């Protein structure tokens, strides 16, 4: 799949009235981490993630008539307010995909977007934000140009476009579990788009993710900067091989229902991600003392109780506690009593294996 596979055309006649489309698109949590990129947003290793349910972005995209053709015109609203800073990243993105959607230069655009999770929760919102926008762009493209894509073609195109906005976003257009990046372990996998994982033991459809907010401040080093630090990283080659092996083992565990292998790999990936940050040139640390306390305690509790729980981490200090639906009560009790987390507002978000994006307008 290349860019030219998705090359669209401009409008043959001027737009007569505004056209609006809306999508809800969820965030996702990587179980095998994408860390390091090359070329036009291509991953250096395969990654595997779970699409969430409750943490999503709702985006409304409106194209209105405009007099003359030219650079992208955008009016950007986030959480009910005009937001110039976010709008700037969006304009840069939209301008970079006018080869795919030439009509972007022939209309005036308005984006209205909001998240179901508080912006201050410190959860990466680029996956849900860019997947929601990509889905809106693909829907609008179909309406404006009268193109008909089947469900599969539509999802892959949206995944491709989402990837150009933010790598991890390409995995959010699929429900459940998806893989992004070429791997021999999954036929049909690609660096260009994510693909859904179809062989899933029923137990893995009951996966849950409770996000424990340790710190909600903007992180000191962005993901983009983190990806850059993988260029010339002394452990890059070993990491790329490890991600390939972990993806293959995780896919097998997911197929066969092997929870113990799943737990081992998910934690290995989280710790590797943060070890790579610490050992990069000009190394940095995103874990807080509270992060270390919680993840150590999760490992101890697993040993003491035999509960099927594990943790993963994003590029930040918050802990994702991963478990299965049949142990929801025990896990709930331990979060409150044993992990000794001071319950404040928004301190945790209870999420789960999601059904994927929904078109709402
Ligand atoms: C640690 O997708 O946010 O969450 O492509 O630069 O937008 P850009 O990076 P981004 O990186 C996500 C990194 C990660 C791991 C993952 O989601 O796979």
């Amino acid at each position: 799949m290349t860019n030219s596979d998705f090359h669209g055309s401009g409008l043959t006649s001027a737009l007569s009235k505004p056209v609006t489309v809306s999508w809800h698109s969820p965030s996702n949590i990587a179980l095998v981490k994408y860390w390091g990129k090359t070329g036009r947003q291509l991953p250096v290793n395969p990654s595997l993630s779970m699409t969430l349910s409750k943490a999503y972005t709702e985006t409304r995209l409106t194209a209105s008539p405009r007099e003359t053709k030219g650079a992208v015109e955008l009016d950007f609203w986030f959480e009910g307010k005009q937001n110039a800073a976010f709008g700037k990243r969006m304009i840069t993105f939209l301008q970079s995909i006018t080869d795919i959607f030439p009509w972007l230069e022939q209309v005036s655009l308005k984006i209205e977007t909001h998240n179901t999770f508080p912006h201050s929760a410190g959860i990466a919102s680029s996956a849900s934000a860019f997947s929601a926008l990509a889905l809106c762009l693909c829907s609008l493209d179909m309406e404006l140009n009268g193109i008909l894509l089947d469900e599969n073609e539509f999802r892959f195109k949206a995944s491709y476009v989402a990837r150009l906005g933010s790598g991890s976003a390409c995995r959010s257009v699929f429900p459940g579990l998806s893989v992004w990046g070429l791997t021999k372990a999954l036929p049909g996998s690609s660096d260009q788009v994510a693909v859904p994982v179809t062989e899933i033991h029923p137990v893995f459809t009951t996966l849950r993710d409770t996000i424990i907010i340790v710190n909600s401040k903007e992180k000191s080093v962005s993901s983009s900067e983190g990806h850059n630090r993988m260029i010339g990283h002394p452990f890059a080659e070993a990491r790329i091989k490890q991600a390939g092996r972990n993806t293959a083992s995780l896919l097998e565990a997911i197929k066969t229902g092997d929870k113990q292998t799943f737990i081992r790999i998910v934690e290995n990936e989280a710790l590797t991600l943060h070890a790579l940050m610490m050992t990069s040139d000009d190394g940095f640390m995103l874990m807080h003392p509270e992060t270390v306390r919680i993840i150590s305690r999760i490992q101890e509790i697993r040993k003491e109780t035999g509960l099927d729980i594990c943790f993963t981490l994003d590029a930040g200090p918050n802990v994702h506690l991963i478990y299965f639906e049949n142990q929801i009560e025990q896990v709930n009790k331990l979060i409150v009593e044993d992990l000794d987390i001071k319950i404040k507002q928004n301190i945790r978000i209870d999420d789960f294996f999601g059904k994927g994006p929904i078109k709402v307008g």
Side-chain angles (χ1 to χ4, degrees), residues 220-221 229 274 277-278 282-289 292 316-317:
S220 50
V221 180
R229 304 273 179 103
H274 285 259
M277 296 174 193
M278 290 183 224
D282 201 10
F284 59 104
M285 209 185 292
L286 296 181
M287 284 194 272
H288 286 206
V292 179

Side-chain angles (χ1 to χ4, degrees), residues 28-35 37 41 47-49 89 124 126-127 130 163 165-169 171 180 219 223-225 227 273 277 313-316:
N28 68 72
I29 178 66
L31 304 171
V32 174
K33 309 292 179 182
Y34 145 53
W35 202 238
K37 58 180 160 178
Q41 290 269 104
S47 58
L48 190 160
S49 66
R89 181 167 176 193
S126 67
F130 279 98
R163 183 199 100 222
S166 177
S168 55
R171 298 182 309 234
W180 171 38
K219 0 180 231 214
S223 291
S224 295
E225 181 50 35
H227 290 295
L273 171 70
M277 296 174 193
L313 303 165
D314 253 341

Side-chain angles (χ1 to χ4, degrees), residues 2 43 48 101 143 148 227 265 287:
T2 64
L48 190 160
F101 304 116
E143 293 209 15
L148 266 183
H227 290 295
I265 290 170
M287 284 194 272

Side-chain angles (χ1 to χ4, degrees), residues 31-331:
L31 304 171
V32 174
K33 309 292 179 182
Y34 145 53
W35 202 238
K37 58 180 160 178
T38 177
R40 196 176 175 189
Q41 290 269 104
L42 297 169
V44 297
N45 64 265
S47 58
L48 190 160
S49 66
M50 171 167 81
T51 298
L52 297 174
S53 185
K54 280 160 69 177
Y56 66 85
T57 297
E58 174 169 7
T59 297
R60 236 170 93 88
L61 175 65
T62 304
S64 301
R66 146 177 178 184
E67 298 282 312
T68 49
K69 193 172 173 217
V72 170
E73 271 181 19
L74 175 66
D75 182 15
F76 184 80
W77 293 70
F78 177 65
E79 308 287 2
K81 293 192 196 107
Q82 270 176 315
N83 189 314
F86 284 5
K88 224 171 137 195
R89 181 167 176 193
M90 290 294 173
I91 289 206
T92 309
F93 167 58
L94 292 167
Q95 199 65 58
S96 77
I97 53 167
T98 50
D99 52 342
I100 306 173
F101 304 116
W103 49 264
L104 286 171
E105 294 183 319
Q106 293 171 275
V107 298
S108 268
L109 293 165
K110 182 175 184 186
I111 295 176
E112 293 155 280
T113 183
H114 74 262
N115 296 333
T116 55
F117 45 94
H119 180 58
S120 60
I123 301 177
S125 55
S126 67
S128 53
F130 279 98
S131 55
L133 179 57
L135 287 155
C136 285
L137 286 164
C138 292
S139 285
L140 204 53
D141 189 41
M142 282 172 62
E143 293 209 15
L144 296 180
N145 285 320
I147 308 165
L148 266 183
L149 297 178
D150 68 27
E151 178 66 21
N152 258 339
E153 291 168 328
F154 180 83
R155 292 277 160 166
F156 286 126
K157 182 166 180 176
S159 181
Y160 182 91
V161 173
R163 183 199 100 222
L164 298 174
S166 177
S168 55
C170 73
R171 298 182 309 234
S172 272
V173 304
F174 297 104
L177 303 168
S178 54
V179 165
W180 171 38
L182 190 62
T183 166
K184 286 198 193 102
L186 191 65
S189 59
S190 160
D191 285 346
Q192 306 285 340
V193 291
V195 295
V197 176
T198 51
E199 295 187 302
I200 306 177
H201 185 281
V203 75
F204 285 108
T205 62
T206 70
L207 274 171
R208 300 193 57 95
D209 173 12
T210 288
I211 310 161
I212 301 168
I213 311 299
V214 167
N215 191 287
S216 57
K217 293 214 183 81
E218 187 95 16
K219 0 180 231 214
S220 50
V221 180
S222 69
S223 291
S224 295
E225 181 50 35
H227 290 295
N228 274 340
R229 304 273 179 103
M230 285 308 289
I231 300 167
H233 192 293
F235 305 144
E237 211 185 304
R239 163 60 190 157
I240 293 167
K241 287 197 183 122
Q242 178 203 37
R245 281 194 308 272
N246 279 350
T247 304
S249 307
L250 200 59
L251 282 169
E252 186 59 24
I254 286 167
K255 184 161 119 185
T256 57
D258 179 352
K259 290 182 182 171
Q260 298 320 309
T261 301
F262 175 88
I263 288 171
R264 186 170 52 77
I265 290 170
V266 168
E267 290 194 352
N268 175 254
E269 278 290 318
L271 294 174
T272 299
L273 171 70
H274 285 259
L276 289 167
M277 296 174 193
M278 290 183 224
T279 51
S280 65
D281 196 19
D282 201 10
F284 59 104
M285 209 185 292
L286 296 181
M287 284 194 272
H288 286 206
E290 182 65 355
T291 314
V292 179
R293 188 187 72 76
I294 295 173
I295 64 178
S296 307
R297 194 65 201 118
I298 290 171
Q299 291 187 323
E300 282 169 12
I301 296 171
R302 184 169 66 239
K303 287 204 186 92
E304 289 162 11
T305 62
L307 281 174
D308 297 317
I309 54 172
C310 61
F311 65 82
T312 188
L313 303 165
D314 253 341
N318 302 323
V319 179
H320 291 249
L321 175 59
I322 308 288
Y323 54 102
F324 297 89
E325 208 169 282
N326 66 337
Q327 294 179 334
I328 198 164
E329 273 163 35
Q330 294 98 308
V331 173

